[in-house]
Amino acid sequence: MTRFGPLSTSPEGLILGDPGRKHLLLTPPGVSYRAHAAPSQFFAWNDIEGIVIELPTSRFRFPALVVGVISWSIAFSSGESVNMNPNDGAVTIFSRGHEALLDVGRHHVGGYWRTSIVAAQRLCDRFIAESPSRELLNHPEELLRAVIASARR
């Protein structure tokens, strides 16, 4: 599994959010919202008018590393464990004149590298505007590696 900011891969497609928590699964037919044991919601790409990703950002490229070091330091010096469960972020999907505000699990406390959020937003925008590009979701590992290489230039 490859991960870049809020994006990660699965054999089914590209995941936006923490795959072990609430997340979106992007596939060629559309976007599925998965929230634990609840039935998933499905949004067909042809019905989606817009997607807005609202996740905290950081200018630092490796924010999870900093959070990990700080939490370890606090736990080591105080002798107590630190609750490091991040609050959910949100994604709004505009579809058929309706607006769905969906909680999305985050991988870590603190923000994601801003560049990774911008890349995720641009990717969603492209899938909405250019239907042939959705076929890239058939190969999520290759797609995410290309996004990572482009973002790091």
Side-chain angles (χ1 to χ4, degrees):
M1 178 179 89
T2 303
R3 186 166 89 77
F4 178 62
L7 298 171
S8 59
T9 60
S10 82
E12 299 174 272
L14 195 63
I15 295 173
L16 175 60
D18 185 343
R21 301 174 63 210
K22 300 172 194 170
H23 62 272
L24 299 177
L25 175 65
L26 285 63
T27 62
V31 178
S32 295
Y33 177 64
R34 296 180 173 179
H36 308 293
S40 65
Q41 290 178 272
F42 180 77
F43 303 88
W45 285 116
N46 291 336
D47 296 335
I48 297 174
E49 299 153 2
I51 294 176
V52 177
I53 301 169
E54 299 172 40
L55 295 167
T57 61
S58 168
R59 291 184 184 192
F60 184 62
R61 193 170 180 168
F62 304 104
L65 176 65
V66 171
V67 169
V69 169
I70 290 171
S71 64
W72 179 84
S73 300
I74 291 170
F76 183 75
S77 64
S78 69
E80 296 181 21
S81 64
V82 179
N83 181 2
M84 297 302 288
N85 291 325
N87 294 329
D88 290 338
V91 172
T92 304
I93 297 180
F94 299 91
S95 175
R96 293 185 177 184
H98 293 92
E99 187 176 311
L101 179 61
L102 307 168
D103 291 335
V104 175
R106 293 173 34 215
H107 295 88
H108 55 79
V109 175
Y112 289 104
W113 182 36
R114 184 178 186 287
T115 300
S116 69
I117 299 295
V118 170
Q121 183 65 62
R122 286 182 180 160
L123 202 54
C124 289
D125 294 345
R126 180 176 178 184
F127 292 145
I128 293 166
E130 301 173 23
S131 56
S133 68
R134 300 171 196 158
E135 292 304 314
L136 296 169
L137 290 165
N138 283 318
H139 308 284
E141 285 285 337
E142 292 85 0
L143 171 61
L144 192 51
R145 275 187 261 150
V147 169
I148 292 168
S150 174
R152 290 186 175 161
R153 286 186 204 159

